[in-house]
């Protein structure tokens, strides 16, 4: 099949990303909580905690990190904010200043201005609008304050020291690849494949849909029925109802977002339509419990730990350290996290990282 090389490249990329993610997990597991037992190994008399076993574990210079993110009006965003704060608590050498979550770009700009005036050592910023926050982030960088850009990219490379992202296209590829595996495993000769997207105007939705379509193409399949919801429970239920009315039989369905998936599941329950392989997206705890119960086949992770990883990287950058297990002595400029598929076989591994919708 002509698309086979693309699948090979995807696997190669996935391996690379997994390797980098593993490094980040190692960094993320490091902390300098008092229960540490192993020696620091760099002449320090302070013992490191965590699993990485590098000198990065030991408490270093005290640093102040400013964190600003959107309002927690969505399960995933709530998890982003809480995970960042929990991660900071693991480090005795981190003083985290948390700005109130907001979806108002002007208010978030004012928060970053305050961080600049306070001369914090680093800023972790998940912008409500990447383009709108670019100028103030650049201002912080020009003031010598490294900015870690989380999830929604700025429009200038000069606005961030490091950018950490989920992989929206990769989510689609992972969902599509799993769908192809199901087509083969169930020996489906002419499967009906459906998709419930998020907000179509957003680039992240477009990337997810493109990845899904590209992966399906690799096994000779395509999306037969598609609707777009709005990342809300209500819109998920409404659009899923429309979809199942239009398609009397569905073999495989991918829903982009587990928060709107609450509504999708409600629509399926109400119509008693559980004939399809139901695949979710984002990785909520709700979806993972459905997987355990057999109501959902799989979900694809969009890590809610991005800001927590940002806290780790901000600490290392402010302390002029690199990432453990990388030969390079500096924190990478760009990090893209993996989008693994969670199934009944591996759900126990990912459930602790799931967020409540």
């Amino acid at each position: 099949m002509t698309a086979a090389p693309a699948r090979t490249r995807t696997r190669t990329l996935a391996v690379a990303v997994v390797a980098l993610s593993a490094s980040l997990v190692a960094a993320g597991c490091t902390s300098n909580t008092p229960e540490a037992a192993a020696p620091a190994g760099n002449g320090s008399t302070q013992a490191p905690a965590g699993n990485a076993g590098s000198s990065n574990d030991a408490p270093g210079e005290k640093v102040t990190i400013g964190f600003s993110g959107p309002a927690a009006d969505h399960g995933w965003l709530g998890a982003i904010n809480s995970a960042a704060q929990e991660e900071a608590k693991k480090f005795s050498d981190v003083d985290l200043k948390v700005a109130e979550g907001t979806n108002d770009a002007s208010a978030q700009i004012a928060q970053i201005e305050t961080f600049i005036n306070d001369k914090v050592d680093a800023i972790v910023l998940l912008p409500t609008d990447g383009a709108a926050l670019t100028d103030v982030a650049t201002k912080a960088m020009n003031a010598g304050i490294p900015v870690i850009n989380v999830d929604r990219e700025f429009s200038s490379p000069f606005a961030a020291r490091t950018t950490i992202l989920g992989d929206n296209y990769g989510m689609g590829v992972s969902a599509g690849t799993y769908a192809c595996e199901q087509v083969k495993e169930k020996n489906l000769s002419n499967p009906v494949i459906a998709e419930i997207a998020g907000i179509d105007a957003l680039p992240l939705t477009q990337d997810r849909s493109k990845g899904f379509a590209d992966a399906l193409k690799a096994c000779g399949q395509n999306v037969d029925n598609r609707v777009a919801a709005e990342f809300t429970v209500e819109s998920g239920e409404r659009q899923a109802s429309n979809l199942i009315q239009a398609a009397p039989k569905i073999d495989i369905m991918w829903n982009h977002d587990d928060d709107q998936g609450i509504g999708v599941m409600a629509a399926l329950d109400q119509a008693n339509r559980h004939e399809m392989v139901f695949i979710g997206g984002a990785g909520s705890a709700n979806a993972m419990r459905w997987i355990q119960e057999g109501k959902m086949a799989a979900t694809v992770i969009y890590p809610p730990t991005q800001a927590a990883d940002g806290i780790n990287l901000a600490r290392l950058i402010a302390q002029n350290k690199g990432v453990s297990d990388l030969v390079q002595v500096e924190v990478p400029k760009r990090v893209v996290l993996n989008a693994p598929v969670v199934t009944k076989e591996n759900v126990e591994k990912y459930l602790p990282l799931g967020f409540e919708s």
Side-chain angles (χ1 to χ4, degrees):
M1 191 170 293
T2 55
R7 296 187 69 184
T8 301
R9 287 195 298 275
T10 299
R11 291 194 182 104
T12 302
L13 177 60
V15 169
V17 171
V18 166
L20 184 52
S21 296
S23 298
L24 287 171
V25 167
C29 289
T30 64
S31 65
N32 41 45
T33 46
E35 62 270 25
N42 64 346
S44 170
T45 58
Q46 300 182 77
N51 301 319
S54 81
S55 58
N56 282 349
D57 300 343
E61 177 186 358
K62 187 89 172 181
V63 295
T64 299
I65 299 173
F67 172 63
S68 175
D73 56 2
H74 181 277
W76 186 86
L77 287 172
I80 276 279
N81 293 338
S82 60
Q85 296 179 50
E86 288 302 315
E87 192 65 21
K89 291 177 183 176
K90 298 178 181 177
F91 296 102
S92 62
D93 52 8
V94 170
D95 179 19
L96 186 69
K97 304 292 186 187
V98 182
E100 184 177 358
T102 178
N103 292 329
D104 182 338
S106 297
Q108 200 171 27
I109 289 170
Q111 293 173 351
I112 303 307
E113 293 277 10
T114 299
F115 288 150
I116 295 171
N117 292 334
D118 290 346
K119 297 181 170 52
V120 298
D121 298 298
I123 295 171
V124 177
L125 174 56
L126 198 169
T128 187
D129 181 323
L133 270 293
T134 294
D135 285 348
V136 75
T138 304
K139 182 178 179 180
M141 289 285 288
N142 289 339
I145 301 173
V147 177
I148 289 74
N149 181 199
V150 177
D151 189 48
R152 300 171 184 170
E153 285 192 80
F154 300 134
S155 54
S156 166
F158 303 108
R161 162 61 182 80
T162 290
T163 299
I164 181 165
L165 304 167
D167 187 356
N168 287 297
Y169 178 80
M171 277 186 73
V173 171
S174 293
T177 301
Y178 181 77
C180 287
E181 293 169 356
Q182 293 301 302
V183 168
K184 182 177 181 181
E185 184 177 313
K186 296 178 182 300
N187 195 27
L188 301 173
S189 58
N190 188 25
V192 176
I193 299 177
E195 178 183 7
I196 303 178
I199 299 172
D200 261 340
L202 296 179
L204 71 89
T205 297
Q206 296 161 14
D207 288 344
R208 291 178 187 186
S209 288
K210 186 176 190 310
F212 189 52
D214 287 350
L216 290 178
K217 186 178 179 182
C219 66
Q221 302 298 329
N222 58 269
V223 176
D224 298 286
N225 298 82
R226 184 182 187 279
V227 293
E230 298 166 0
F231 297 119
T232 63
V233 173
E234 295 76 16
S235 68
E237 182 171 4
R238 182 173 62 253
Q239 292 301 332
S241 296
N242 293 337
L243 178 67
I244 57 182
Q245 286 177 15
K249 173 178 173 292
I250 298 173
D251 293 292
I252 296 173
M253 181 170 73
W254 181 41
N255 168 56
H256 285 206
D257 179 75
D258 285 338
D259 276 309
Q260 72 183 24
I262 298 287
V264 173
M265 184 64 83
L268 296 179
D269 286 342
Q270 187 172 6
N272 194 24
R273 288 286 301 274
H274 292 287
E275 78 275 11
M276 76 283 291
V277 174
F278 182 17
I279 308 168
S284 75
N286 309 62
M288 293 188 205
R289 288 192 288 269
W290 288 336
I291 291 171
Q292 290 176 318
E293 296 164 4
K295 294 185 69 178
M296 174 180 272
T299 189
V300 182
I301 296 288
Y302 191 75
T305 54
Q306 294 177 46
D309 287 327
I311 296 294
N312 277 288
L313 298 183
R315 170 181 173 265
L316 295 177
I317 290 170
Q319 294 178 344
N320 197 28
K321 295 176 180 176
V323 174
S324 302
D325 301 326
L326 289 183
V327 175
Q328 189 182 67
V329 298
E330 294 184 344
V331 170
K333 176 73 174 172
R334 186 179 182 85
V335 177
V336 179
L337 301 173
N338 195 21
V341 177
V342 180
T343 65
K344 200 163 189 174
E345 284 68 36
N346 62 9
V347 66
E348 303 299 333
K349 173 182 176 183
Y350 292 100
L351 186 55
L353 296 177
F355 59 90
E356 297 293 340
S357 293

